[in-house]
Amino acid sequence: GTSPSFSEKLDSYKKALSVFSENLGLGVGIGSDSYEAASDGASAIFNNLLGIATELGVVVLALFLITVVLRMRHISYYRAYVRASNVKIAYESTALVMLALLIFGVDAYIFSDTTVFYLFWVVFGICTSTLKTAKREYDDRISYYSDSRSSESSVIDVQIQK
């Protein structure tokens, strides 16, 4: 099919906002059939946030936004740990894929495809685990080098080698 025009997308946004405002709590339910029934035949939502809000309601939308905002905050906080980590490439790739999916979701409801929905959360989980691994590696290095016995043994090792 052809891409929808700007006016078609604008009409879709207005309709989705109308359906959302009528079903704030729990939304209309998951799937295009539920949305079509609630919107009097409108068939497409062109935005992830509107899609989540319309189908699942304000509570799930809030949880999604809080989760993504906290992860983005962690990404910026843990950046220093990742630079010297063995998981730097995995972290950078997963963060980039997650960001690309979020950006693409501004103009398309990509979560309507369950494969993309699951892909997003798998990438989100991998990104989370790489951040935690980088932090653990950093903490291990700090505890190793700050341990007085480790520093003494490294001085002894240097003296023995001479």
Side-chain angles (χ1 to χ4, degrees):
T2 61
S3 294
S5 68
F6 178 75
S7 63
E8 290 172 327
K9 286 186 178 185
L10 191 58
D11 290 340
S12 169
Y13 294 149
K14 289 177 184 176
K15 190 63 174 176
L17 284 171
S18 170
V19 170
F20 171 63
S21 66
E22 293 169 6
N23 301 281
L24 279 175
L26 299 174
V28 296
I30 297 175
S32 60
D33 294 341
S34 300
Y35 178 70
E36 282 181 35
S39 65
D40 299 324
S43 61
I45 301 173
F46 295 106
N47 182 287
N48 267 348
L49 296 180
L50 275 176
I52 292 169
T54 303
E55 289 185 356
L56 301 171
V58 72
V59 173
V60 174
L61 176 65
L63 289 173
F64 176 78
L65 290 173
I66 289 168
T67 303
V68 170
V69 166
L70 285 176
R71 178 55 53 227
M72 292 302 170
R73 203 166 155 233
H74 287 136
I75 286 173
S76 65
Y77 175 74
Y78 284 104
R79 181 170 288 151
Y81 300 124
V82 172
R83 285 188 188 130
S85 174
N86 293 326
V87 295
K88 182 179 179 183
I89 293 174
Y91 156 76
E92 289 174 346
S93 352
T94 56
L96 186 63
V97 169
M98 197 170 76
L99 184 63
L101 287 170
L102 288 172
I103 290 171
F104 187 68
V106 168
D107 192 44
Y109 183 37
I110 60 174
F111 288 165
S112 65
D113 179 1
T114 55
T115 306
V116 176
F117 178 77
Y118 292 134
L119 172 68
F120 176 82
W121 289 111
V122 166
V123 169
F124 189 90
I126 293 170
C127 186
T128 299
S129 65
T130 57
L131 288 174
K132 289 184 178 187
T133 301
K135 175 79 166 85
R136 191 173 307 119
E137 287 178 2
Y138 177 81
D139 290 344
D140 289 348
R141 281 193 301 274
I142 294 298
S143 66
Y144 176 79
Y145 288 114
S146 65
D147 184 12
S148 62
R149 289 175 293 168
S150 297
S151 59
E152 289 171 8
S153 65
S154 61
V155 169
I156 293 170
D157 290 341
V158 171
Q159 291 174 350
I160 291 173
Q161 290 178 357
K162 288 184 177 179

